């Protein structure tokens, strides 16, 4: 079995490292954030990711998984080094490669024997070649000509279901022109390969493009149904019926056809922006993607403005918002629609009572600019107490089954905004509340 180092122990690195160890590999996860590494060494998972603690505990106990801040030793002892560092957006939308470059140069300054360097970070087309150059420059500085190959192996896991996704992927994509590297990668993914998980081998550029094209397509699909939902509101159609019937068409599929307050998270916003930038740089404008980016921003604001248009002036009103993470089962609030919505409502003069099952710590710093208007509640009913409206922003399971009569009694006014359409209008009305969903006319 290959000895693997994973550089970057964030959402992707920690899950990849732990699951690769579960496949039987020996894995050492590296991060330059000491605090994170110390927590992981004690078995504490720094992120909220269901099921990850058990995989980490199991593999740490049998000696297949370890954590370190010492990149030197980890890389030197490994045959395969994954790069799983962040690639945040820069002001012009392109992916910032500083962390990837730093990791690549570190690897180049350390390796002494043939090593496969696997890029798991989401990176613009052409980055694999750059990584090759950065590593070569560093080995040349030491007067060495060490053999190595760079592979692109994009990751498609979803936060909140990351362990399942990593261990049951729809496909594995390997971009490489080296047969030696491709054979080593088959070993790394041996258990999935034997399970006949679709295994797509291609060149570096195609692998890099597959990741952006896939994420952009999903972002377009969400944005499409959001626009249809907006039109349904004006025309008397019900978007849930429309989406259900559309989804039954095998050519369309039912996934990502759920209207809401826009997509967020660490991937779709930044990957669509990066793909649009690649299009502009290559003089091949990606019109659909460009439009999707703008439409999605409007959708976030639209959700907030709709609350204002229903309730009138929000000055001095108190609003309860449930769900702050960009989706359920994660504490990640990067580009969460909740941020745009909270900021808009607070700037209208509303007082916000907020609750999220996992993202309260994140919310405290991400909503710093409006902290004077915010009360961080201890649970969903504490958040509802005395509010003039309840707004469901993120569809955590525990918000799907609220005691609606208790909610009615706790609210000062009966407004119920369901931005995820998780309730049936009739059950809300029966509880004596006023229902406002997405894409159903609310008439
Ligand atoms: P993250 O910010 O959670 O984690 C990155 C980690 O890398 C951090 O812990 C940071 O301290 C560490 N790091 C940075 N430079 C380092 C270095 N030189 N040495 C050691 N550690 C270093 O990021 P993430 O969400 O895990 O994303 C990583 C990449 O994977 C991104 O390119 C992202 O687009 C991609 N991706 C993310 C997801 C997701 O759902 N989060 C899914 C698929 C792909």
């Amino acid at each position: 079995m290959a000895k693997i180092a994973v550089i970057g122990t964030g959402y992707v690195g920690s899950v990849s490292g732990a699951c690769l160890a579960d496949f039987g590999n020996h894995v050492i996860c590296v991060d330059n954030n000491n605090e994170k590494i110390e927590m992981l060494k004690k078995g504490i998972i720094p992120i909220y990711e269901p099921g990850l603690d058990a995989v980490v505990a199991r593999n740490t106990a049998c000696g297949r998984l370890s954590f370190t801040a010492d990149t030197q030793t980890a890389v030197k002892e490994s045959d395969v080094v994954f790069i799983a560092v962040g690639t945040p957006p820069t002001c012009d939308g392109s992916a910032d490669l500083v962390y990837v470059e730093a990791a690549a140069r570190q690897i180049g300054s350390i390796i002494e024997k043939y090593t496969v360097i696997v890029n798991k970070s989401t990176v613009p087309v052409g980055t694999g070649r750059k990584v090759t150059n950065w590593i070569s420059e560093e080995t040349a500085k030491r007067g060495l000509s060490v053999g190595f190959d760079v592979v692109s192996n994009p990751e498609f896991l979803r936060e909140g279901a990351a362990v399942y996704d990593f261990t049951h992927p729809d496909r594995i994509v390997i971009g490489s022109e080296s047969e030696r590297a491709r054979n080593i990668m088959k070993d790394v993914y041996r258990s999935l390969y034997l399970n006949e998980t679709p295994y797509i081998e291609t060149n570096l550029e195609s692998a890099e493009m597959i990741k952006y094209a896939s994420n952009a397509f999903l972002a377009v699909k969400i944005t499409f149904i959001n626009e249809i939902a907006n039109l349904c509101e004006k025309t008397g159609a019900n978007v849930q019926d429309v989406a259900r019937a559309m989804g039954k068409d095998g050519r369309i599929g039912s996934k990502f056809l759920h209207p809401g307050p826009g997509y967020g998270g660490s991937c779709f916003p930044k990957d669509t922006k990066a793909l649009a930038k690649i299009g502009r740089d290559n003089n091949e404008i990606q019109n659909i993607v460009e439009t999707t980016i703008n439409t999605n921003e409007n959708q976030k604001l639209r959700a907030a403005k709709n609350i204002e248009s229903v309730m009138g002036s929000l000055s001095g009103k108190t609003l309860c918002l449930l769900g702050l993470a960009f989706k359920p089962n994660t504490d990640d609030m990067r580009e969460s629609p909740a941020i745009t919505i909270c900021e808009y409502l607070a700037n209208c003069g509303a007082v916000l009572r907020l609750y999220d099952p996992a993202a309260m710590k994140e919310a405290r710093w991400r909503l710093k600019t409006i902290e004077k208007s915010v009360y961080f509640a201890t649970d969903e009913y504490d958040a509802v107490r005395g509010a003039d409206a309840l707004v469901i922003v993120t569809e955590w399971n525990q918000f799907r089954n609220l005691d609606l009569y208790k909610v009615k009694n706790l609210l000062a006014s009966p407004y119920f905004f369901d931005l995820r359409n998780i309730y049936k209008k009739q059950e809300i009305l029966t509880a004596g509340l006023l229902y406002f969903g997405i894409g159903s006319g609310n008439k």
Side-chain angles (χ1 to χ4, degrees), residues 10-12 31-32 36 87 106 122 155 159 267 270 334:
Y11 282 89
V12 167
D31 207 286
N32 53 14
K36 225 177 232 188
T87 46
Q106 270 176 308
T122 303
E155 182 50 54
E159 285 175 23
C267 292
K270 94 175 161 58
R334 286 180 278 187

Side-chain angles (χ1 to χ4, degrees), residues 7-13 30-33 36 71 84-87 99 102-103 106 120-122 155-159 211 266-267 270-271 332 334:
I7 300 187
T9 311
Y11 282 89
V12 167
V30 190
D31 207 286
N32 53 14
N33 180 333
K36 225 177 232 188
T71 313
V85 299
T87 46
Y99 304 109
Q106 270 176 308
K120 218 175 215 336
S121 298
T122 303
E155 182 50 54
F156 302 96
L157 62 77
R158 296 162 300 166
E159 285 175 23
K211 174 64 188 174
S266 68
C267 292
K270 94 175 161 58
D271 293 350
D332 198 340
R334 286 180 278 187

